[in-house]
Structure formats: C-alpha cells, structure tokens
Amino acid sequence: MEEGMTEDLLSYYKRAMKLTGADVDTYSPLVLAYIGDAVYEVMVRTKVVDKGNVQVSKLHKSSSHLVCAQAQAHMSHLLKEQLRPQELAVFKRGRNAKSATSAKNASITDYRLATGFEALVGWLFLTEQFERLIELVSLGLEQLEGD
C-alpha cells in the first residue's frame, strides 16, 4: 500500500471513529496488552483464513495454537534479540505487570511473557508503527512454524 494511501485511510479511520489521540505512553501495560491481544488475534486469523475456505472448526484449531500463551511466550523468546531498546522496554513493562487474572492453561511464566508480547503488539499498533508490527509478527510466526 502506498504511503499516502495509508495516511489517508488512517486519517479517515481516526475521524470516523472520533479518536482523540490519547498519549499511548501513559497507558498501563495491561491496557496495551488488551488491545495487543485483539490485534494479534486478527493478524493470525487473517493468515489462517488466507489458506483457503475451510470449516470454521479447522480455522479455530489452526489459529488457537498460535494465539495461546505458550505460543506467544515462545515467540517472545524467538524475537527478543530483534527488539529495539524501546520495544524491549515496553515488552518488559508488560511482562512485569501484575494482573488480577491468570491463564487457565498456561504457567505463570508463559502468561507473563505472553502479556509482554501482547503489550508490545498493542504499543506498536497504537503508535502506528504498522510496518514494524507486521515485520515482527511475520518473523515470529515464521520461526514458530519452523520449530
């Protein structure tokens, strides 16, 4: 997509949704993880759906193993060396955040690493670093599928 086209679409989106442009750096890491979870889920579902028209149960099975805490924790290990200093700081804030809930089917370590990963995804999305977001998630998914 061309740069001007992306900016036009983004401007339209912000106007249509009546977004105020809050300061993302003031958000708690759990808020960043909240939006990051949704963004990552959409990215994974888009990738799974792109493989063809199949039963929804098969789509769910294909995507659920990529969005679980264990997979996100593993991805955070795979990507850690690729993170820039500010990205690493956001990841660590998310990883170290104290949540009132915990994962049903994951260790606390995996859950915290996954929260860090989701916080990073949310921060990249909200700061409109879409190319970097896509680069990291694509690389992480490739490495996960290669393991």
Side-chain angles (χ1 to χ4, degrees):
M1 188 179 283
E2 292 180 29
E3 183 73 27
M5 199 168 150
T6 302
E7 289 178 28
D8 291 343
L9 182 60
L10 187 57
S11 296
Y12 172 74
Y13 175 74
K14 288 177 177 181
R15 280 193 317 277
M17 297 298 290
K18 297 179 175 59
L19 300 179
T20 61
D23 183 6
V24 174
D25 291 327
T26 65
Y27 287 6
S28 83
L30 296 178
V31 170
L32 295 175
Y34 172 77
I35 191 70
D37 176 57
V39 169
Y40 180 67
E41 175 95 22
V42 168
M43 293 176 82
V44 167
R45 286 185 180 204
T46 303
K47 182 173 177 65
V48 169
V49 167
D50 188 59
K51 293 179 181 173
N53 189 25
V54 298
Q55 295 172 325
V56 173
S57 61
K58 290 181 181 177
L59 294 173
H60 177 71
K61 187 175 180 180
S62 294
S63 64
S64 64
H65 82 275
L66 293 172
V67 298
C68 69
Q70 292 91 342
Q72 291 177 351
H74 187 57
M75 188 180 294
S76 69
H77 284 298
L78 295 171
L79 294 175
K80 200 168 188 178
E81 298 299 317
Q82 306 296 319
L83 299 183
R84 297 170 181 156
Q86 192 172 12
E87 295 167 348
L88 185 58
V90 170
F91 167 77
K92 286 180 177 180
R93 280 183 55 221
R95 181 197 62 197
N96 296 335
K98 302 294 185 240
S99 174
T101 62
S102 62
K104 291 176 249 172
N105 300 310
S107 70
I108 191 67
T109 301
D110 282 352
Y111 184 73
R112 289 194 175 185
L113 289 168
T115 302
F117 173 75
E118 290 172 345
L120 174 60
V121 169
W123 179 78
L124 288 168
F125 178 77
L126 291 174
T127 57
E128 301 173 12
Q129 297 182 61
F130 305 121
E131 287 182 25
R132 181 66 174 157
L133 170 61
I134 294 165
E135 176 186 347
L136 286 174
V137 170
S138 296
L139 179 62
L141 289 173
E142 283 176 26
Q143 290 182 2
L144 273 180
E145 291 170 353
D147 278 357

